[in-house]
Amino acid sequence: MVGDHVALIDLVPLDAPAPAVKVAVFPSAGLGTRMLPASKAIPKEMLTVVDRPVIQYGVEEAAASGIDQVVLVTAAGKGAIEDHFDANHGLEAALEAKGNAAGLDAVRRAASLASIVSVRQARALGLGHAILLAEAVVGPQAFAVFLPDDIMDGGDDPVMAQLLRVHARFGCSVIAVERVPDDQTSRYGILDVIPVSDRLFQIRHMVEKPALGTAPSNLAIMGRYVLTPRIFEALRATRPGAGGEIQLTDGIRALLDREPVLALEYVGRRYDCGTLLGFLRANVELALRDPELGPSVRAMVNDALGPRD
Ligand code: UTP
């Protein structure tokens, strides 16, 4: 399979920066089976990491990267996500009456991060299908995609902002990648690339979950993308793949024949909150790093690890 796309489309920097990307799609309609039973009645995107739902980290990253509209793709039973980012005047009035300024700030902040639009995916027909449903809102402009399971901690430089800088320079789609150990490549979409500059690559081909020992590199696709609107056309032409779902990677693979697609090895730390261990790690590490909670959490962890008599 590797080598299918040797005729790379020329990568040419733009004369002027591409228009700023202002819209982000958050596909959140998946079943979340790996987080059962917690995700049975509560969307996995709403499970708490430290003091806020997983998805809020992504929306905060979007806002910090200059994005002002968020398109949630949700499904039956996921209404709590929409409620979380909506105003709640009753709760605000109650907090105001009690003089609870911190609570009021927290409640208002969630509703003021971005303007929110939601579309529904009636059946979980795949990530690619979920993104296609956002077309009616996004229209013919480049847009960002956040997989809400992945909390990306880029410190002072949000991971999406890193991707957007590359998009501004070249005007093409940019995918976040991370190097994974050789024995883990079979769990990810893996890229065959040629280097462009430090941490930046042009994608030649991509392989979904390659069998061990067959991966073309150890660059794995992670949950942040900037996509040109041509992806919609490509997804419409994509037939259901693995599991009968329309896969985003199949759509991006089709894009490679028509325009350059870049991969950026971002700087930051990723927490995969779609798995139990990743979710627990996010809670422990982010709580330890929280300036207020950190010292008490450290004492608590040390106590739990300490000798027992
Ligand atoms: P996952 O592969 O993590 O699937 O989807 P999932 O259903 O959410 O979780 P598991 O595997 O059953 O535990 C990747 C992203 O794509 C979204 C999910 O919500 C998640 O953000 N997605 C997936 C959709 O929005 N619709 C789909 O049909 C499938």
Side-chain angles (χ1 to χ4, degrees):
M1 290 226 276
V2 175
D4 279 2
H5 291 261
V6 280
L8 277 178
I9 313 269
D10 280 348
L11 179 68
V12 185
L14 301 173
D15 295 332
V21 171
K22 289 292 179 190
V23 184
V25 178
F26 280 66
S28 312
L31 299 175
T33 52
R34 287 168 298 167
M35 291 301 280
L36 286 168
S39 57
K40 184 182 172 198
I42 298 169
K44 66 172 175 176
E45 297 79 6
M46 290 302 294
L47 298 176
T48 308
V49 171
V50 187
D51 64 348
R52 66 200 70 186
V54 170
I55 192 170
Q56 186 169 333
Y57 289 87
V59 176
E60 285 173 357
E61 181 191 334
S65 304
I67 285 165
D68 49 32
Q69 185 175 48
V70 162
V71 185
L72 300 171
V73 183
T74 64
K78 299 244 180 178
I81 305 177
E82 283 128 359
D83 287 347
H84 181 71
F85 293 107
D86 200 358
N88 183 334
H89 296 300
L91 179 57
E92 287 177 35
L95 291 166
E96 218 155 11
K98 285 178 194 293
N100 182 345
L104 195 57
D105 264 11
V107 166
R108 286 189 174 148
R109 180 172 157 70
S112 65
L113 288 166
S115 107
I116 306 281
V117 177
S118 91
V119 297
R120 301 278 273 197
Q121 188 183 30
R123 288 171 57 206
L125 296 178
L127 173 57
H129 180 259
I131 293 200
L132 202 43
L133 291 174
E135 183 181 13
V137 183
V138 173
Q141 60 177 324
F143 62 102
V145 174
F146 287 72
L147 302 195
D149 285 356
D150 278 338
I151 293 181
M152 297 287 203
D153 185 357
D156 292 340
D157 191 12
V159 169
M160 181 52 72
Q162 299 174 35
L163 264 59
L164 290 176
R165 285 200 296 276
V166 175
H167 173 77
R169 212 168 125 217
F170 294 100
C172 51
S173 299
V174 190
I175 301 176
V177 293
E178 183 182 302
R179 289 191 190 274
V180 297
D182 289 342
D183 62 352
Q184 286 179 26
T185 48
S186 58
R187 292 171 21 191
Y188 297 94
I190 300 291
L191 301 183
D192 176 23
V193 296
I194 55 165
V196 173
S197 58
D198 186 33
R199 292 181 168 267
L200 186 63
F201 307 88
Q202 182 168 359
I203 302 175
R204 194 150 45 179
H205 192 53
M206 46 212 297
V207 194
E208 193 54 46
K209 302 189 171 68
L212 274 183
T214 66
S217 75
N218 62 352
L219 289 171
I221 302 176
M222 299 302 172
R224 299 288 184 271
Y225 310 73
V226 180
L227 297 172
T228 62
R230 263 197 174 165
I231 190 68
F232 295 127
E233 221 176 292
L235 284 171
R236 256 193 300 279
T238 301
R239 302 275 54 91
E245 298 188 346
I246 296 180
Q247 303 291 346
L248 179 59
T249 38
D250 289 340
I252 296 175
R253 200 179 286 129
L255 262 194
L256 294 174
D257 290 329
R258 318 193 52 185
E259 56 185 39
V261 180
L262 298 176
L264 178 71
E265 193 186 342
Y266 58 86
V267 178
R269 182 145 174 76
R270 179 182 74 102
Y271 300 98
D272 178 2
C273 296
T275 66
L276 186 57
L277 264 184
F279 175 79
L280 294 173
R281 177 183 278 273
N283 267 293
V284 172
E285 284 193 22
L286 293 175
L288 283 170
R289 292 226 303 272
D290 184 275
E292 273 175 38
L293 282 175
S296 336
V297 174
R298 185 169 300 276
M300 197 173 75
V301 170
N302 284 337
D303 184 48
L305 291 173
R308 288 167 191 271
D309 42 19

